Amino acid sequence: MRLQAQPINVVSILGADYSIKAPEGQEETLSQAVRMLNTALAETKRQYPTLIGDKLLVLAALNLCSKQIELQKEHQQTLARTQAQIDATVDAISRTIGDQ
């Protein structure tokens, strides 16, 4: 079995270039992640213009993580609501069938 070499992608973050290996088929995901990070960095820089380097990067990363946690909570709430609706529908169908 021969392992395929992962392509190396050069991305730019905070003006520095990084060579990153992305699994085959994940190059677009990497590009989207880089764009998202650069956008978060720009937004954070606008809010805190004196931040530079690692401090800017850490604050932007924390903001992204906070957004991700909120999205996960919203997703779990949506799943719970959907499951409750499904359960109510199944109960209603069961009662309807049982009444016949």
Side-chain angles (χ1 to χ4, degrees), residues 1-99:
M1 183 167 117
R2 183 180 156 173
L3 296 176
Q4 290 183 325
Q6 294 176 339
I8 296 176
N9 300 275
V10 178
V11 299
S12 180
I13 300 170
L14 285 178
D17 289 340
Y18 297 89
S19 297
I20 300 176
K21 291 181 182 178
E24 186 175 333
Q26 294 296 312
E27 297 86 1
E28 181 57 31
T29 301
L30 174 61
S31 293
Q32 290 174 344
V34 169
R35 284 191 300 274
M36 182 184 287
L37 179 56
N38 281 325
T39 299
L41 287 165
E43 289 171 3
T44 304
K45 186 67 174 169
R46 275 193 298 278
Q47 291 176 333
Y48 305 95
T50 59
L51 287 182
I52 58 170
D54 289 350
K55 290 183 181 185
L56 175 63
L57 189 58
V58 167
L59 188 54
L62 285 172
N63 286 335
L64 286 171
C65 290
S66 295
K67 288 177 186 177
Q68 178 65 27
I69 290 167
E70 287 303 315
L71 288 171
Q72 287 173 334
K73 286 179 185 177
E74 289 175 21
H75 179 69
Q76 287 302 316
Q77 291 170 350
T78 300
L79 284 176
R81 280 193 306 271
T82 302
Q83 187 62 52
Q85 290 171 342
I86 290 169
D87 291 344
T89 302
V90 168
D91 287 345
I93 292 170
S94 294
R95 284 192 304 274
T96 302
I97 292 172
D99 290 344

